[in-house]
Amino acid sequence: MRDLFDKIYKDKGPLGKWASQAEGYFVFPKLEGEISNRMKFQGKDVITWSINDYLGLANHPEVRKVDAEAAAEYGSAYPMGARMMSGHTDLHEKLQNELASFVQKEAAYLLNFGYQGMVSTIDALVAKDDIIVYDVDAHACIIDGVRLHMGKRFTYKHNDVESLEKNLERATKMAEQTGGGILVISEGVFGMRGEQGRLKEIVELKKKFNFRLFVDDAHGFGTLGATGAGAGEEQGVQADIDVYFATFAKSLASTGAFIAGDQEIIDYLKYNLRSQMFAKSLQMQLVVGALKRLEMLKTMPELKNKLWENVNALQSGLKERGFDIGTTQSCVTPVYLKGSIPEAMALVRDLRENYGIFCSIVVYPVIPKGMILLRLIPTSTHTLQDVSETLDAFDAIRERLENGTYKRLSAAVMAAMGE
């Protein structure tokens, strides 16, 4: 019998094996200063394209004021206990009611964390006889929620409605045997590629198949739709989403999340969500802060308008210069390049040290080998000057990637790795 930890000592994993070269710089980097379009990284000023503060609320003076006042009034402990036992308040209910109204649903329920809440919601929605059908590119929190399911699950090709239909046919046959139901899960916006889930086409399949639809709209909430109610509103199918999920970690620049749907569905979930029944209630200062942020989202459309001005300037500028940004339909702006992991490290170091541009780097195994994805997140705090400087920097690093400069610079990294 082997030691359980043998795998830890012998195989650090596809990302972990780069830890000595990457940690503190490429992974687990430390950005400093107020959350904004420009921050500091290792003492240098950088244009920051890796913060999900879409509407620029993180350091808005009105938000900071309310956060500080709530912290002073309630502290960081109140209310103590889980919601069902001793952690329920009028303000929790008020926030739920306002969120439900905003996303055009009968009811909503607060979640302490988005990731934890998503896992628990999937677990509560399905029993062992039920079948889950979900997009193969779903976020890790969805995948982990599906892993808890004791019954059958099928993946369909990313945003491929024909593949979804085939899997719904399989799921329907299976459900007829088990006596269960079918849950389809999609994202409103896929956070890596920026594509919207094909919610309108998925809803259309309800005419042919009997299933319920659960949508993770973390990146769509606050950024898409006429009012900011998300991808469902943008595509005209918000009413057809059976369970709607969004997090406070993006547009609301805070901590927490919520689910929304018909009153009876939410009533069921709040009595069966293990991650909420057996965990401390969302702290009061976060609840008060979320109420303020939601109010600003509803009453200050200029925040979303400025966000999209920056998004359009960045994305159109990249396309005009010949960069591949895929098929994004959201604020998420991926830039696809070809190169190895060591080349990606050399490229990103050049961007940060010599051009003052900080964006996230994504490599294998998240994307295929030989690809580099630079992920940019525009916000309302960015300026057109930020966009212009970034476009010029990307022109320069692409030329260096193509002429082999980064390959030569990365040779030392490869040698150190013994590869």
Side-chain angles (χ1 to χ4, degrees), residues 141-200:
C141 65
I142 295 173
I143 293 171
D144 284 353
V146 170
R147 283 174 173 169
L148 290 179
H149 180 42
M150 301 297 289
K152 293 290 185 180
R153 64 262 193 158
F154 302 114
T155 58
Y156 62 92
K157 295 177 183 177
H158 174 57
N159 259 354
D160 187 323
V161 178
E162 183 179 342
S163 175
L164 170 58
E165 187 167 0
K166 288 180 180 177
N167 279 283
L168 281 170
E169 289 171 354
R170 296 169 67 194
T172 298
K173 290 178 182 177
M174 185 74 65
E176 287 170 350
Q177 295 173 1
T178 64
I182 300 172
L183 177 67
V184 172
I185 308 175
S186 176
E187 295 188 44
V189 172
F190 289 86
M192 200 61 64
R193 305 185 189 205
E195 299 161 334
Q196 290 182 42
R198 298 182 66 179
L199 305 183
K200 190 172 184 178

Short mmCIF file of all heavy atoms in Angstrom, two decimals, residues 141-200:
data_model
loop_
_atom_site.label_atom_id
_atom_site.label_comp_id
_atom_site.label_asym_id
_atom_site.label_seq_id
_atom_site.Cartn_x
_atom_site.Cartn_y
_atom_site.Cartn_z
N CYS A 141 -17.34 25.79 -9.95
CA CYS A 141 -18.34 25.63 -8.89
C CYS A 141 -19.51 24.77 -9.36
O CYS A 141 -20.09 24.01 -8.57
CB CYS A 141 -18.83 26.99 -8.39
SG CYS A 141 -19.72 27.99 -9.59
N ILE A 142 -19.85 24.86 -10.65
CA ILE A 142 -20.91 24.02 -11.20
C ILE A 142 -20.43 22.57 -11.26
O ILE A 142 -21.14 21.65 -10.88
CB ILE A 142 -21.33 24.53 -12.59
CG1 ILE A 142 -21.97 25.91 -12.48
CG2 ILE A 142 -22.30 23.54 -13.26
CD1 ILE A 142 -22.27 26.57 -13.82
N ILE A 143 -19.22 22.39 -11.75
CA ILE A 143 -18.65 21.04 -11.85
C ILE A 143 -18.61 20.37 -10.48
O ILE A 143 -18.98 19.20 -10.32
CB ILE A 143 -17.25 21.09 -12.47
CG1 ILE A 143 -17.35 21.54 -13.94
CG2 ILE A 143 -16.57 19.73 -12.38
CD1 ILE A 143 -16.02 21.83 -14.59
N ASP A 144 -18.19 21.12 -9.45
CA ASP A 144 -18.13 20.54 -8.11
C ASP A 144 -19.51 20.23 -7.58
O ASP A 144 -19.71 19.25 -6.85
CB ASP A 144 -17.38 21.48 -7.17
CG ASP A 144 -15.87 21.44 -7.39
OD1 ASP A 144 -15.41 20.59 -8.17
OD2 ASP A 144 -15.16 22.25 -6.79
N GLY A 145 -20.49 21.07 -7.91
CA GLY A 145 -21.87 20.78 -7.51
C GLY A 145 -22.39 19.53 -8.17
O GLY A 145 -23.04 18.68 -7.54
N VAL A 146 -22.08 19.36 -9.46
CA VAL A 146 -22.51 18.18 -10.20
C VAL A 146 -21.85 16.93 -9.63
O VAL A 146 -22.45 15.85 -9.59
CB VAL A 146 -22.19 18.34 -11.70
CG1 VAL A 146 -22.41 17.04 -12.45
CG2 VAL A 146 -23.05 19.45 -12.31
N ARG A 147 -20.61 17.05 -9.18
CA ARG A 147 -19.90 15.89 -8.61
C ARG A 147 -20.61 15.32 -7.38
O ARG A 147 -20.46 14.14 -7.06
CB ARG A 147 -18.48 16.29 -8.23
CG ARG A 147 -17.53 16.41 -9.42
CD ARG A 147 -16.19 16.95 -8.98
NE ARG A 147 -15.21 16.92 -10.05
CZ ARG A 147 -14.01 17.52 -9.99
NH1 ARG A 147 -13.67 18.18 -8.90
NH2 ARG A 147 -13.19 17.45 -11.01
N LEU A 148 -21.36 16.16 -6.68
CA LEU A 148 -22.09 15.67 -5.51
C LEU A 148 -23.30 14.82 -5.90
O LEU A 148 -23.82 14.07 -5.07
CB LEU A 148 -22.58 16.85 -4.66
CG LEU A 148 -21.53 17.66 -3.90
CD1 LEU A 148 -22.22 18.80 -3.16
CD2 LEU A 148 -20.76 16.78 -2.93
N HIS A 149 -23.74 14.97 -7.14
CA HIS A 149 -24.96 14.29 -7.59
C HIS A 149 -24.75 12.78 -7.65
O HIS A 149 -23.80 12.30 -8.28
CB HIS A 149 -25.36 14.84 -8.96
CG HIS A 149 -26.60 14.24 -9.53
ND1 HIS A 149 -27.72 13.99 -8.77
CD2 HIS A 149 -26.91 13.83 -10.80
CE1 HIS A 149 -28.66 13.46 -9.53
NE2 HIS A 149 -28.19 13.35 -10.75
N MET A 150 -25.64 12.04 -7.04
CA MET A 150 -25.53 10.58 -6.99
C MET A 150 -26.11 9.91 -8.24
O MET A 150 -25.96 8.71 -8.44
CB MET A 150 -26.25 10.04 -5.75
CG MET A 150 -25.71 10.59 -4.44
SD MET A 150 -23.99 10.11 -4.15
CE MET A 150 -24.20 8.37 -3.79
N GLY A 151 -26.79 10.69 -9.10
CA GLY A 151 -27.41 10.13 -10.29
C GLY A 151 -26.60 10.40 -11.54
O GLY A 151 -25.42 10.73 -11.49
N LYS A 152 -27.25 10.27 -12.69
CA LYS A 152 -26.60 10.43 -13.98
C LYS A 152 -26.43 11.91 -14.34
O LYS A 152 -27.25 12.74 -13.97
CB LYS A 152 -27.41 9.73 -15.08
CG LYS A 152 -27.45 8.22 -14.96
CD LYS A 152 -26.09 7.61 -15.27
CE LYS A 152 -26.15 6.09 -15.27
NZ LYS A 152 -24.84 5.49 -15.58
N ARG A 153 -25.36 12.19 -15.07
CA ARG A 153 -25.17 13.54 -15.60
C ARG A 153 -24.49 13.44 -16.97
O ARG A 153 -23.67 12.55 -17.20
CB ARG A 153 -24.35 14.41 -14.66
CG ARG A 153 -22.93 13.98 -14.43
CD ARG A 153 -22.75 13.19 -13.17
NE ARG A 153 -21.32 13.07 -12.83
CZ ARG A 153 -20.89 12.82 -11.63
NH1 ARG A 153 -21.74 12.68 -10.64
NH2 ARG A 153 -19.61 12.71 -11.38
N PHE A 154 -24.86 14.36 -17.83
CA PHE A 154 -24.31 14.42 -19.18
C PHE A 154 -23.81 15.83 -19.44
O PHE A 154 -24.43 16.82 -19.02
CB PHE A 154 -25.36 14.06 -20.23
CG PHE A 154 -25.98 12.71 -20.06
CD1 PHE A 154 -27.32 12.57 -19.73
CD2 PHE A 154 -25.22 11.56 -20.22
CE1 PHE A 154 -27.90 11.33 -19.58
CE2 PHE A 154 -25.79 10.30 -20.06
CZ PHE A 154 -27.13 10.18 -19.74
N THR A 155 -22.69 15.92 -20.18
CA THR A 155 -22.23 17.23 -20.63
C THR A 155 -22.58 17.39 -22.11
O THR A 155 -22.59 16.42 -22.87
CB THR A 155 -20.71 17.38 -20.48
OG1 THR A 155 -20.05 16.35 -21.21
CG2 THR A 155 -20.29 17.32 -19.03
N TYR A 156 -22.88 18.62 -22.51
CA TYR A 156 -23.04 18.92 -23.93
C TYR A 156 -21.92 19.85 -24.37
O TYR A 156 -21.33 20.58 -23.55
CB TYR A 156 -24.42 19.51 -24.23
CG TYR A 156 -24.75 20.84 -23.59
CD1 TYR A 156 -24.50 22.05 -24.24
CD2 TYR A 156 -25.37 20.88 -22.33
CE1 TYR A 156 -24.84 23.26 -23.65
CE2 TYR A 156 -25.70 22.10 -21.74
CZ TYR A 156 -25.43 23.28 -22.42
OH TYR A 156 -25.76 24.49 -21.84
N LYS A 157 -21.57 19.80 -25.65
CA LYS A 157 -20.50 20.62 -26.19
C LYS A 157 -20.80 22.09 -25.91
O LYS A 157 -21.96 22.51 -25.94
CB LYS A 157 -20.34 20.39 -27.69
CG LYS A 157 -19.89 18.98 -28.05
CD LYS A 157 -19.82 18.80 -29.57
CE LYS A 157 -19.45 17.38 -29.94
NZ LYS A 157 -19.45 17.18 -31.41
N HIS A 158 -19.74 22.85 -25.68
CA HIS A 158 -19.90 24.24 -25.27
C HIS A 158 -20.78 25.04 -26.22
O HIS A 158 -20.49 25.14 -27.42
CB HIS A 158 -18.53 24.92 -25.17
CG HIS A 158 -18.61 26.38 -24.88
ND1 HIS A 158 -19.25 26.89 -23.77
CD2 HIS A 158 -18.17 27.46 -25.58
CE1 HIS A 158 -19.17 28.20 -23.78
NE2 HIS A 158 -18.53 28.56 -24.88
N ASN A 159 -21.88 25.57 -25.66
CA ASN A 159 -22.81 26.43 -26.40
C ASN A 159 -23.31 25.80 -27.70
O ASN A 159 -23.65 26.49 -28.66
CB ASN A 159 -22.15 27.78 -26.71
CG ASN A 159 -22.62 28.88 -25.77
OD1 ASN A 159 -23.51 28.67 -24.95
ND2 ASN A 159 -22.02 30.04 -25.88
N ASP A 160 -23.36 24.47 -27.73
CA ASP A 160 -23.79 23.73 -28.92
C ASP A 160 -25.21 23.20 -28.67
O ASP A 160 -25.40 22.23 -27.94
CB ASP A 160 -22.82 22.58 -29.19
CG ASP A 160 -23.08 21.86 -30.49
OD1 ASP A 160 -24.26 21.69 -30.85
OD2 ASP A 160 -22.11 21.45 -31.14
N VAL A 161 -26.19 23.85 -29.27
CA VAL A 161 -27.59 23.50 -29.01
C VAL A 161 -27.92 22.12 -29.56
O VAL A 161 -28.72 21.38 -28.97
CB VAL A 161 -28.53 24.58 -29.61
CG1 VAL A 161 -29.99 24.20 -29.39
CG2 VAL A 161 -28.26 25.93 -28.95
N GLU A 162 -27.32 21.75 -30.69
CA GLU A 162 -27.55 20.42 -31.25
C GLU A 162 -27.04 19.35 -30.29
O GLU A 162 -27.71 18.33 -30.06
CB GLU A 162 -26.84 20.29 -32.60
CG GLU A 162 -27.10 18.96 -33.29
CD GLU A 162 -26.41 18.87 -34.65
OE1 GLU A 162 -26.02 19.92 -35.19
OE2 GLU A 162 -26.26 17.74 -35.15
N SER A 163 -25.86 19.58 -29.71
CA SER A 163 -25.33 18.64 -28.72
C SER A 163 -26.22 18.59 -27.49
O SER A 163 -26.46 17.52 -26.92
CB SER A 163 -23.90 19.06 -28.33
OG SER A 163 -23.40 18.24 -27.30
N LEU A 164 -26.73 19.73 -27.06
CA LEU A 164 -27.64 19.77 -25.91
C LEU A 164 -28.88 18.95 -26.21
O LEU A 164 -29.34 18.16 -25.37
CB LEU A 164 -28.01 21.21 -25.59
CG LEU A 164 -29.14 21.40 -24.56
CD1 LEU A 164 -28.79 20.73 -23.23
CD2 LEU A 164 -29.44 22.88 -24.36
N GLU A 165 -29.43 19.11 -27.41
CA GLU A 165 -30.65 18.38 -27.77
C GLU A 165 -30.41 16.87 -27.74
O GLU A 165 -31.24 16.12 -27.23
CB GLU A 165 -31.13 18.82 -29.15
CG GLU A 165 -32.48 18.24 -29.52
CD GLU A 165 -33.11 18.90 -30.74
OE1 GLU A 165 -32.50 19.83 -31.31
OE2 GLU A 165 -34.24 18.50 -31.10
N LYS A 166 -29.28 16.43 -28.26
CA LYS A 166 -28.96 15.00 -28.24
C LYS A 166 -28.86 14.48 -26.82
O LYS A 166 -29.32 13.38 -26.49
CB LYS A 166 -27.65 14.74 -28.99
CG LYS A 166 -27.76 14.89 -30.51
CD LYS A 166 -26.43 14.64 -31.19
CE LYS A 166 -26.55 14.80 -32.70
NZ LYS A 166 -25.23 14.61 -33.37
N ASN A 167 -28.24 15.28 -25.95
CA ASN A 167 -28.11 14.85 -24.56
C ASN A 167 -29.43 14.92 -23.81
O ASN A 167 -29.65 14.13 -22.88
CB ASN A 167 -27.04 15.69 -23.86
CG ASN A 167 -25.64 15.19 -24.17
OD1 ASN A 167 -25.20 14.19 -23.62
ND2 ASN A 167 -24.95 15.88 -25.06
N LEU A 168 -30.31 15.83 -24.21
CA LEU A 168 -31.64 15.86 -23.61
C LEU A 168 -32.44 14.63 -24.02
O LEU A 168 -33.26 14.12 -23.24
CB LEU A 168 -32.39 17.14 -24.02
CG LEU A 168 -31.99 18.40 -23.24
CD1 LEU A 168 -32.60 19.65 -23.87
CD2 LEU A 168 -32.42 18.28 -21.77
N GLU A 169 -32.23 14.15 -25.24
CA GLU A 169 -32.88 12.91 -25.67
C GLU A 169 -32.42 11.75 -24.80
O GLU A 169 -33.23 10.93 -24.35
CB GLU A 169 -32.58 12.64 -27.15
CG GLU A 169 -33.28 13.61 -28.10
CD GLU A 169 -32.81 13.47 -29.55
OE1 GLU A 169 -31.86 12.70 -29.79
OE2 GLU A 169 -33.39 14.14 -30.43
N ARG A 170 -31.09 11.67 -24.56
CA ARG A 170 -30.53 10.63 -23.69
C ARG A 170 -31.09 10.77 -22.28
O ARG A 170 -31.48 9.78 -21.63
CB ARG A 170 -29.01 10.73 -23.65
CG ARG A 170 -28.31 10.49 -24.97
CD ARG A 170 -26.85 10.87 -24.87
NE ARG A 170 -26.11 9.99 -23.97
CZ ARG A 170 -24.89 10.27 -23.49
NH1 ARG A 170 -24.30 11.42 -23.81
NH2 ARG A 170 -24.28 9.41 -22.70
N ALA A 171 -31.11 12.01 -21.78
CA ALA A 171 -31.57 12.25 -20.41
C ALA A 171 -33.05 11.92 -20.26
O ALA A 171 -33.47 11.39 -19.21
CB ALA A 171 -31.32 13.71 -20.03
N THR A 172 -33.83 12.22 -21.29
CA THR A 172 -35.27 11.93 -21.23
C THR A 172 -35.52 10.43 -21.13
O THR A 172 -36.35 9.97 -20.32
CB THR A 172 -35.97 12.51 -22.47
OG1 THR A 172 -35.81 13.93 -22.49
CG2 THR A 172 -37.46 12.17 -22.46
N LYS A 173 -34.80 9.64 -21.93
CA LYS A 173 -34.94 8.18 -21.87
C LYS A 173 -34.55 7.67 -20.49
O LYS A 173 -35.20 6.79 -19.92
CB LYS A 173 -34.08 7.53 -22.94
CG LYS A 173 -34.58 7.76 -24.36
CD LYS A 173 -33.64 7.13 -25.38
CE LYS A 173 -34.12 7.41 -26.80
NZ LYS A 173 -33.18 6.85 -27.82
N MET A 174 -33.47 8.23 -19.95
CA MET A 174 -33.01 7.81 -18.63
C MET A 174 -34.03 8.19 -17.55
O MET A 174 -34.33 7.39 -16.66
CB MET A 174 -31.67 8.48 -18.33
CG MET A 174 -31.01 8.05 -17.04
SD MET A 174 -30.31 6.39 -17.14
CE MET A 174 -29.02 6.65 -18.35
N ALA A 175 -34.57 9.41 -17.65
CA ALA A 175 -35.54 9.88 -16.64
C ALA A 175 -36.83 9.06 -16.69
O ALA A 175 -37.46 8.83 -15.65
CB ALA A 175 -35.85 11.35 -16.87
N GLU A 176 -37.20 8.59 -17.87
CA GLU A 176 -38.40 7.74 -17.98
C GLU A 176 -38.19 6.42 -17.26
O GLU A 176 -39.14 5.83 -16.74
CB GLU A 176 -38.72 7.51 -19.46
CG GLU A 176 -39.30 8.76 -20.14
CD GLU A 176 -39.41 8.61 -21.65
OE1 GLU A 176 -38.87 7.62 -22.19
OE2 GLU A 176 -40.02 9.49 -22.29
N GLN A 177 -36.93 5.97 -17.21
CA GLN A 177 -36.61 4.72 -16.51
C GLN A 177 -36.52 4.93 -15.00
O GLN A 177 -36.98 4.09 -14.21
CB GLN A 177 -35.30 4.15 -17.03
CG GLN A 177 -35.33 3.72 -18.49
CD GLN A 177 -33.96 3.33 -19.01
OE1 GLN A 177 -32.97 3.34 -18.28
NE2 GLN A 177 -33.89 2.97 -20.29
N THR A 178 -35.92 6.04 -14.60
CA THR A 178 -35.70 6.28 -13.17
C THR A 178 -36.88 6.95 -12.49
O THR A 178 -37.01 6.90 -11.26
CB THR A 178 -34.47 7.18 -12.96
OG1 THR A 178 -34.73 8.48 -13.53
CG2 THR A 178 -33.24 6.59 -13.61
N GLY A 179 -37.75 7.59 -13.29
CA GLY A 179 -38.85 8.34 -12.71
C GLY A 179 -38.42 9.71 -12.20
O GLY A 179 -39.17 10.36 -11.45
N GLY A 180 -37.23 10.15 -12.61
CA GLY A 180 -36.72 11.45 -12.16
C GLY A 180 -37.00 12.57 -13.13
O GLY A 180 -37.73 12.41 -14.11
N GLY A 181 -36.40 13.72 -12.85
CA GLY A 181 -36.54 14.89 -13.71
C GLY A 181 -35.19 15.30 -14.28
O GLY A 181 -34.16 14.65 -14.02
N ILE A 182 -35.19 16.39 -15.04
CA ILE A 182 -33.97 16.83 -15.73
C ILE A 182 -33.67 18.29 -15.35
O ILE A 182 -34.55 19.15 -15.42
CB ILE A 182 -34.12 16.72 -17.26
CG1 ILE A 182 -34.40 15.27 -17.67
CG2 ILE A 182 -32.86 17.24 -17.96
CD1 ILE A 182 -34.76 15.11 -19.14
N LEU A 183 -32.42 18.54 -14.98
CA LEU A 183 -31.94 19.90 -14.71
C LEU A 183 -30.88 20.24 -15.75
O LEU A 183 -29.88 19.54 -15.89
CB LEU A 183 -31.33 19.99 -13.31
CG LEU A 183 -30.72 21.36 -12.94
CD1 LEU A 183 -31.81 22.42 -12.83
CD2 LEU A 183 -29.93 21.26 -11.63
N VAL A 184 -31.09 21.34 -16.49
CA VAL A 184 -30.10 21.85 -17.43
C VAL A 184 -29.41 23.05 -16.78
O VAL A 184 -30.06 23.93 -16.22
CB VAL A 184 -30.76 22.29 -18.77
CG1 VAL A 184 -29.75 23.00 -19.67
CG2 VAL A 184 -31.32 21.07 -19.49
N ILE A 185 -28.08 23.07 -16.86
CA ILE A 185 -27.30 24.15 -16.25
C ILE A 185 -26.45 24.83 -17.32
O ILE A 185 -25.71 24.17 -18.06
CB ILE A 185 -26.38 23.64 -15.12
CG1 ILE A 185 -27.17 22.82 -14.10
CG2 ILE A 185 -25.69 24.82 -14.43
CD1 ILE A 185 -26.30 22.19 -13.02
N SER A 186 -26.55 26.15 -17.39
CA SER A 186 -25.70 26.95 -18.28
C SER A 186 -25.24 28.19 -17.52
O SER A 186 -25.83 28.56 -16.51
CB SER A 186 -26.46 27.37 -19.54
OG SER A 186 -25.66 28.21 -20.36
N GLU A 187 -24.22 28.81 -18.03
CA GLU A 187 -23.83 30.11 -17.51
C GLU A 187 -24.48 31.20 -18.35
O GLU A 187 -24.71 31.01 -19.56
CB GLU A 187 -22.31 30.26 -17.52
CG GLU A 187 -21.63 29.29 -16.57
CD GLU A 187 -20.14 29.55 -16.41
OE1 GLU A 187 -19.76 30.73 -16.28
OE2 GLU A 187 -19.37 28.59 -16.41
N GLY A 188 -24.78 32.33 -17.73
CA GLY A 188 -25.28 33.47 -18.50
C GLY A 188 -24.16 34.04 -19.35
O GLY A 188 -24.34 34.38 -20.52
N VAL A 189 -22.98 34.16 -18.73
CA VAL A 189 -21.76 34.56 -19.42
C VAL A 189 -20.65 33.63 -18.97
O VAL A 189 -20.43 33.46 -17.76
CB VAL A 189 -21.37 36.02 -19.09
CG1 VAL A 189 -19.99 36.35 -19.67
CG2 VAL A 189 -22.41 36.99 -19.61
N PHE A 190 -19.96 33.03 -19.92
CA PHE A 190 -18.83 32.15 -19.58
C PHE A 190 -17.61 33.04 -19.32
O PHE A 190 -17.15 33.76 -20.20
CB PHE A 190 -18.59 31.15 -20.71
CG PHE A 190 -19.67 30.11 -20.79
CD1 PHE A 190 -20.83 30.35 -21.53
CD2 PHE A 190 -19.56 28.91 -20.11
CE1 PHE A 190 -21.85 29.42 -21.58
CE2 PHE A 190 -20.57 27.96 -20.15
CZ PHE A 190 -21.72 28.22 -20.90
N GLY A 191 -17.14 32.97 -18.08
CA GLY A 191 -16.18 33.94 -17.58
C GLY A 191 -14.82 33.92 -18.24
O GLY A 191 -14.07 34.90 -18.15
N MET A 192 -14.44 32.83 -18.88
CA MET A 192 -13.13 32.77 -19.52
C MET A 192 -13.17 33.30 -20.94
O MET A 192 -12.33 34.10 -21.35
CB MET A 192 -12.61 31.33 -19.51
CG MET A 192 -11.11 31.22 -19.68
SD MET A 192 -10.19 32.04 -18.37
CE MET A 192 -10.67 31.07 -16.95
N ARG A 193 -14.17 32.88 -21.70
CA ARG A 193 -14.27 33.27 -23.11
C ARG A 193 -15.13 34.51 -23.34
O ARG A 193 -15.08 35.11 -24.41
CB ARG A 193 -14.85 32.12 -23.93
CG ARG A 193 -14.09 30.81 -23.80
CD ARG A 193 -14.67 29.77 -24.74
NE ARG A 193 -14.11 28.45 -24.49
CZ ARG A 193 -14.07 27.49 -25.42
NH1 ARG A 193 -14.52 27.73 -26.62
NH2 ARG A 193 -13.56 26.32 -25.13
N GLY A 194 -16.00 34.82 -22.38
CA GLY A 194 -16.86 35.98 -22.51
C GLY A 194 -18.11 35.76 -23.34
O GLY A 194 -18.89 36.68 -23.55
N GLU A 195 -18.33 34.52 -23.79
CA GLU A 195 -19.52 34.24 -24.58
C GLU A 195 -20.75 34.14 -23.68
O GLU A 195 -20.68 33.59 -22.59
CB GLU A 195 -19.36 32.92 -25.33
CG GLU A 195 -18.21 32.90 -26.31
CD GLU A 195 -17.79 31.49 -26.67
OE1 GLU A 195 -18.02 30.57 -25.85
OE2 GLU A 195 -17.23 31.31 -27.75
N GLN A 196 -21.87 34.65 -24.14
CA GLN A 196 -23.12 34.43 -23.43
C GLN A 196 -23.58 33.00 -23.68
O GLN A 196 -23.41 32.45 -24.77
CB GLN A 196 -24.19 35.40 -23.90
CG GLN A 196 -23.97 36.83 -23.51
CD GLN A 196 -25.10 37.74 -23.97
OE1 GLN A 196 -26.27 37.38 -23.87
NE2 GLN A 196 -24.75 38.91 -24.48
N GLY A 197 -24.19 32.39 -22.65
CA GLY A 197 -24.84 31.11 -22.86
C GLY A 197 -26.00 31.29 -23.81
O GLY A 197 -26.65 32.35 -23.82
N ARG A 198 -26.30 30.28 -24.58
CA ARG A 198 -27.37 30.40 -25.59
C ARG A 198 -28.72 30.13 -24.94
O ARG A 198 -29.42 29.16 -25.22
CB ARG A 198 -27.08 29.45 -26.75
CG ARG A 198 -25.77 29.81 -27.46
CD ARG A 198 -25.48 28.92 -28.64
NE ARG A 198 -26.45 29.11 -29.72
CZ ARG A 198 -26.40 28.46 -30.88
NH1 ARG A 198 -25.43 27.58 -31.10
NH2 ARG A 198 -27.33 28.66 -31.80
N LEU A 199 -29.06 31.04 -24.04
CA LEU A 199 -30.24 30.86 -23.20
C LEU A 199 -31.53 30.85 -24.01
O LEU A 199 -32.45 30.08 -23.72
CB LEU A 199 -30.30 31.95 -22.13
CG LEU A 199 -29.05 32.10 -21.24
CD1 LEU A 199 -29.29 33.17 -20.19
CD2 LEU A 199 -28.68 30.77 -20.59
N LYS A 200 -31.61 31.71 -25.01
CA LYS A 200 -32.83 31.78 -25.82
C LYS A 200 -33.09 30.46 -26.53
O LYS A 200 -34.22 29.95 -26.54
CB LYS A 200 -32.69 32.90 -26.85
CG LYS A 200 -33.99 33.21 -27.59
CD LYS A 200 -33.84 34.47 -28.44
CE LYS A 200 -35.16 34.83 -29.10
NZ LYS A 200 -35.04 36.09 -29.90
#
